[in-house]
Amino acid sequence: MGSRRRPSTQKGPALPLAVPEPPRSGQDTVLRDTASAPRVDALLAGLDEAQRRCVTDPARVVVVEAGPGSGKTRVLTHRLAYRAARGDLDPARAVVVTFTRRAAEELRRRSTTLQVGGGWYGTVHRLARRVLLDEAEHQGRQPLAFASDPLGLLAEAAGADDAPWAPSLASEAAWLASLGLEPADYPDACTRARRRAPLDPERVAEVLARYEALKRRRGVVDAADLPRLAAEALHDPALAGAVRWRHQHLLVDEAQDLTPAQWAFLRGLAGEDPDLFLVGDPDQTIYGFNGADSRFLTATEQWVAAPSRHRLTRNYRAAGDLVRLAGRLRAHLGFAERAAEGGQDLPASVELLRCADPAAEAREVTRRLRLLRAAGWGWSTMAVLARTRDRLRLVEDALLRAGVPVRTGRSLLEEPAVREVLEQLDLARPRPPLVVLADLEECLAARQDPEAVADQLLVLRDLVAEWADQRRAGAHPRGLRGWLRAELSGPDGLQTVSRTGVELATFHRAKGTEFAHVVLLGLEDGMVPLANAEDPEEEARLFYVACTRAERSLLASWTGRPSPWLAPLEEAADALAHRARPARDAQAAKARIAALRDRLAGLAQPA
C-alpha cells in the first residue's frame, strides 16, 4: 500500500510555511486577563474533584479513562473552555476529533454553549482529508480523487470467480489499511490476529494487491487510505510545520477506538512537543475487527513520553441500581475490578422476558414500549438494541404497524426518499456543482414529507452543499454519488437523522448513546455472544456497552436457549422485585384497611 504514493513533480503555489512558534502551556502559565478568573471559576463549579483534576491538569499530554456516564464529554469540552479562558489555548487552533459526525456536532454544540468559538470538529478521516488537501495545494496539484465505486473496483480485481466476495474483501482491505500494512502482509497479519479470511489468505493478498494497482492506475483512493496517506504527507517538514501551527491543540474523544493507521496520523500531527488530550473507555473497545487498539489509550507511554493519567469512575447518568448492575456485569464478564460508583437516586427496573418465537417477542416489545408511552415517556427516550441488524427487522415491522415512529440507523443512502431524490437529480448528466445544489433545493421545496423523512433530506442537502464547496475548490471525486458513498462509508456513515422515534440499533451502533429505557433483543445462546465470534473478549465488551446504555429500565428478551451472560441481569431483576414486594404489600394492606374503614363508616350511618 505504501508504494501507491508517488511524489508530484509539479510545482505551484505553496502554503505560507513560515509560522510563529506555538505558545506553550504549563504550571507557570499566567492569566492573560484577570477578568477571566470569574469565568474560570464558573467552568469548574459544576465538576467533581476527579473531573476538575482532568480539566485543570497543566500537563501537555493528558490521558483520561472514563467509564459510562462519568462525564468524558463534559471533561473534554470543559478542558477546552478552561484553557481558552486562561489564555494558554487558542480555540481557533483547537482540533476535536471523534468517530461520528453526530458526536462531532454534539461536541461543537457543547463547546459553543461554553462560549468556545472556532476550532475544528470532525472525524479522523475528515481531518486526514483536510491535511491531504493542504498537501495538494502545497505541491500545486489536484487533490486525490475518491473511487466512485470501490466495490466495483474490488470485483474487477477479484476476477469473475471471486467477484461475489467483493463486500467481504472490502472489509479485509479496510482492516489491513487500518493496520498500515501492505497486501503482502495479509496472511501473517491474519495469523497473528486469529482472523478468519473469506478466502485463502494468500488469494486475498493477491486480490488486494491487484486492487491497489487498479487504484494507482486510475488515480483514486478509498476512505480507508486517508489516515495512512495523511501520515505520510506529514513527513514533509515544511507541510508538517504549517499544519501543526494551524492545529496546535489536539483533543481526541473515544480514543480506545483508534487504529494503528489513525494513531500514526494523529501522532504525526501532534509533532515532537505534543499538546494532546485523549479520553475514552478501554472497556468499550468494540471495533477490534476494524483494527482498533485500546493500547493507544491505556499504554500511551509507548509512544508519548510521560503522559499525565486520570480515571473517572462515578456514573452520573443511570439510576443507582443499574450502576450496581454494571459492576456485577463487569465481574461476571471477567473485566478488571473496578468499584461501581455513583448513580442517580431514582427508581429502576430490570426485567427478563422469555418469548415463544421472534414474532411473539416483537409483539410483546411493541406492547411494552406503548405502555411506556402511555405513562408519559417520549418515544426518543426508548431504544431496542440487538447484536445484528437482521434481528431488528421483525420489531421494526411490528412498531411501524402499531404507528410507533422509529429511528433505524440505516445508511442515509439506503433511505427510500433519499434514493428517490438522487434519481430525480439525474446525476448522470454533468452539471456544475452549484446547479446540482440548486436543482436539489428546488426538488426538496416541491416535496411534502413527514418530519422524519424531511430530516433525512435536510442532511442530504447539507452533504451536497459540502460536496459543492469542495468541488469548486478543486477537491472532488468524479461525481456526487461516489463522494456520498465515500463520505458515508464506515462507522460514520450509519446515521440516525430523524429527531423523534424509538431507536433501533445494533450493539455497535449504540455506543456513545444513552436512553431512559432500553430493550436488549434476542439474547439467545449463539447470538450473544455470537457463536462464530473471532474475539470472545470483544463480544463481552459489546454486551457491556449495550447494557450500560440504560438509565432507568432494562428489559432483556430472548427465544429458545438464553445467553450465558444473563445471570447478572437475572440477579438484579430478582433483587429489585424482592425489594419492591414489601412496599407493594404494605400499600395493598393500607388500601384494604382504608376500604374496611369506609365500609364500617357506612354501616354506622343512621338509616
Side-chain angles (χ1 to χ4, degrees):
M1 289 183 184
S3 60
R4 179 195 309 113
R5 185 180 168 74
R6 293 175 293 183
S8 172
T9 57
Q10 293 179 284
K11 298 296 181 183
L15 293 176
L17 299 180
V19 298
E21 190 70 23
R24 297 178 61 87
S25 61
Q27 287 184 316
D28 296 330
T29 301
V30 295
L31 297 178
R32 286 182 183 169
D33 184 354
T34 56
S36 65
R39 171 158 162 68
V40 167
D41 293 341
L43 285 168
L44 301 179
L47 305 177
D48 68 22
E49 186 57 36
Q51 293 170 339
R52 193 176 294 114
R53 286 194 295 269
C54 299
V55 169
T56 61
D57 192 328
R60 287 182 64 79
V61 179
V62 175
V63 179
V64 180
E65 295 184 25
S70 61
K72 69 179 180 64
T73 302
R74 183 179 180 85
V75 162
L76 185 152
T77 52
H78 276 69
R79 180 171 175 84
L80 180 60
Y82 171 82
R83 292 187 60 195
R86 285 181 55 88
D88 80 320
L89 175 147
D90 181 354
R93 293 187 171 92
V95 177
V96 179
V97 178
T98 187
F99 284 79
T100 66
R101 280 176 173 269
R102 181 167 64 176
E105 287 308 310
E106 172 64 13
L107 287 165
R108 185 196 299 276
R109 183 190 66 78
R110 292 203 192 188
S111 298
T112 302
T113 301
L114 295 175
Q115 301 176 25
V116 179
W120 187 91
Y121 298 74
T123 64
V124 181
H125 284 81
R126 290 170 66 79
L127 180 60
R129 189 171 63 199
R130 182 181 173 96
V131 169
L132 291 171
L133 291 177
D134 286 342
E135 181 201 31
E137 181 184 355
H138 174 47
Q139 293 185 349
R141 60 167 172 77
Q142 285 293 313
L144 296 167
F146 280 107
S148 60
D149 185 12
L151 279 181
L153 272 184
L154 260 171
E156 184 178 342
D161 291 342
D162 295 333
W165 291 97
S168 297
L169 291 168
S171 296
E172 300 310 290
W175 174 69
L176 197 63
S178 76
L179 300 179
L181 299 177
E182 303 283 347
D185 300 321
Y186 180 82
D188 287 343
C190 267
T191 301
R192 289 194 304 270
R194 293 177 295 175
R195 188 177 179 93
R196 281 192 290 271
L199 302 169
D200 177 77
E202 295 290 346
R203 194 167 169 184
V204 173
E206 293 172 4
V207 172
L208 296 186
R210 291 197 293 269
Y211 175 56
E212 294 301 314
L214 272 176
K215 286 192 291 182
R216 282 197 300 274
R217 283 203 300 272
R218 298 183 187 179
V220 297
V221 297
D222 59 31
D225 295 324
L226 296 179
R228 179 185 57 77
L229 291 174
E232 291 177 0
L234 292 172
H235 292 165
D236 178 342
L239 176 69
V243 171
R244 288 169 188 156
W245 179 79
R246 192 172 69 188
H247 301 321
Q248 291 176 10
H249 320 287
L250 189 57
L251 301 95
V252 183
D253 187 25
E254 303 286 6
Q256 78 280 349
D257 289 334
L258 289 170
T259 69
Q262 291 169 346
W263 174 253
F265 162 51
L266 294 177
R267 186 65 190 88
L269 184 63
E272 292 303 313
D273 184 23
D275 184 344
L276 181 62
F277 180 80
L278 303 174
V279 61
D281 182 3
D283 291 338
Q284 297 188 55
T285 306
I286 58 174
Y287 288 107
F289 66 94
N290 275 345
D293 190 337
S294 63
R295 289 179 300 171
F296 301 123
L297 177 71
T298 61
T300 319
E301 295 83 353
Q302 295 182 29
W303 299 275
V304 185
S308 180
R309 289 196 165 276
H310 300 269
R311 177 171 288 171
L312 300 177
T313 57
R314 180 169 292 275
N315 189 317
Y316 289 95
R317 184 177 67 204
D321 288 312
L322 292 181
V323 173
R324 288 183 283 277
L325 166 61
R328 289 193 292 272
L329 188 63
R330 289 176 54 83
H332 184 76
L333 296 174
F335 288 11
E337 290 188 16
R338 187 182 300 166
E341 298 181 73
Q344 298 189 56
D345 186 16
L346 294 170
S349 168
V350 178
E351 292 186 70
L352 276 66
L353 176 66
R354 183 169 188 166
C355 300
D357 54 56
E361 183 182 42
R363 290 192 298 270
E364 181 59 19
V365 166
T366 299
R367 187 183 75 82
R368 296 291 189 100
L369 296 182
R370 294 181 70 185
L371 287 174
L372 286 171
R373 176 64 172 171
W377 292 94
W379 293 123
S380 58
T381 68
M382 311 173 205
V384 181
L385 311 179
R387 178 62 183 84
T388 64
R389 290 182 67 187
D390 285 344
R391 200 67 172 78
L392 292 165
R393 298 192 191 284
L394 282 176
V395 168
E396 181 179 358
D397 291 344
L399 289 170
L400 292 174
R401 284 197 303 272
V404 177
V406 299
R407 297 180 291 179
T408 63
R410 278 192 296 258
S411 170
L412 189 66
L413 297 181
E414 294 178 22
E415 298 293 345
V418 172
R419 291 202 306 268
E420 180 183 331
V421 167
L422 289 176
E423 290 298 328
Q424 290 176 356
L425 288 179
D426 187 17
L427 298 179
R429 181 163 57 94
R431 284 162 294 163
L434 290 181
V435 174
V436 176
L437 183 58
D439 288 349
L440 174 63
E441 295 280 9
E442 183 178 349
C443 176
L444 297 185
R447 295 178 64 92
Q448 296 292 326
D449 293 301
E451 183 181 11
V453 174
D455 285 341
Q456 296 165 4
L457 296 177
L458 288 176
V459 172
L460 175 65
R461 184 191 65 186
D462 291 344
L463 287 168
V464 173
E466 184 176 341
W467 167 80
D469 285 343
Q470 291 195 14
R471 184 159 180 175
R472 283 187 293 124
H476 59 84
R478 294 178 177 176
L480 175 59
R481 280 191 187 276
W483 187 86
L484 287 172
R485 276 193 290 267
E487 194 67 16
L488 297 174
S489 64
D492 194 28
L494 296 177
Q495 300 199 32
T496 299
V497 296
S498 59
R499 294 190 184 96
T500 61
V502 175
E503 182 92 3
L504 302 183
T506 64
F507 291 177
H508 278 104
R509 290 299 306 161
K511 189 167 76 69
T513 62
E514 56 271 342
F515 304 92
H517 308 284
V518 170
V519 177
L520 301 183
L521 197 72
L523 299 188
E524 295 104 22
D525 190 18
M527 178 65 72
V528 178
L530 279 180
N532 60 348
E534 294 180 352
D535 187 347
E537 293 181 1
E538 185 156 301
E539 286 290 303
R541 293 193 294 269
L542 198 54
F543 183 58
Y544 174 74
V545 165
C547 290
T548 53
R549 300 309 92 197
E551 297 174 345
R552 296 290 297 275
S553 78
L554 186 64
L555 173 64
S557 70
W558 72 93
T559 65
R561 185 176 178 179
S563 165
W565 289 343
L566 280 177
L569 276 64
E570 187 174 12
E571 292 170 7
D574 289 345
L576 288 172
H578 180 73
R579 187 193 309 166
R581 193 173 299 117
R584 288 197 300 269
D585 292 347
Q587 290 174 351
K590 288 180 180 178
R592 287 196 297 272
I593 291 171
L596 286 172
R597 283 175 175 166
D598 290 343
R599 184 177 176 189
L600 289 172
L603 292 174
Q605 295 294 327

